[in-house]
Amino acid sequence: MVKAVVAVLALVVVAGCSSSEGKDEERLTAQRENYCTQLGAWQEARNAAGTDTPESGYDEVGAVAQDAFLAMRPLRDEPVGGGRTLAEATVAAMNNSDAEAEGRLVQYCGDVGFEMLTR
């Protein structure tokens, strides 16, 4: 009887870990999708603002950039290549118009399966 209880407890512990790991992976996937969605929205707003007068698009682009920064926070330490983290590349792309950093972000979204969300 004791061996059966130990076996059942061991199975519950293993199942609990797998379930927790699965939820962590789901949360990470959702965070990445959200970030890539916000990055794409920022790119779209920035591109649209480029055709308008600078004053008309600035507030919208800034607000969309803020949403992307918020979405980036839980992922900020993920590497995007070139020795940069997601946070560093996001700041460089959005604040400094760094095309290389933006390219790394688009590549990151492609690598995590959300390339269709960026422009």
Side-chain angles (χ1 to χ4, degrees):
M1 176 77 173
V2 172
K3 288 183 180 181
V5 171
V6 171
V8 170
L9 287 177
L11 194 59
V12 169
V13 170
V14 170
C17 291
S18 297
S19 177
S20 176
E21 289 172 10
K23 289 181 190 249
D24 288 345
E25 190 63 33
E26 287 176 24
R27 182 175 57 236
L28 180 60
T29 298
Q31 290 170 335
R32 288 172 170 166
E33 181 179 18
N34 182 42
Y35 174 76
C36 294
T37 298
Q38 297 306 322
L39 176 64
W42 169 77
Q43 290 174 314
E44 187 175 315
R46 180 208 51 206
N47 294 344
T51 61
D52 297 335
T53 60
E55 293 177 19
S56 66
Y58 178 77
D59 290 335
E60 181 181 342
V61 174
V64 176
Q66 184 176 5
D67 290 342
F69 282 122
L70 291 172
M72 173 269 308
R73 291 182 75 193
L75 305 167
R76 66 184 164 268
D77 295 328
E78 291 205 349
V80 295
R84 285 187 166 175
T85 64
L86 189 68
E88 292 165 336
T90 301
V91 169
M94 294 184 183
N95 287 347
N96 302 328
S97 301
D98 184 331
E100 180 185 344
E102 184 175 346
R104 291 185 189 282
L105 297 174
V106 170
Q107 181 64 45
Y108 167 84
C109 287
D111 290 348
V112 298
F114 298 109
E115 65 277 351
M116 72 283 193
L117 299 175
T118 60
R119 309 291 174 262

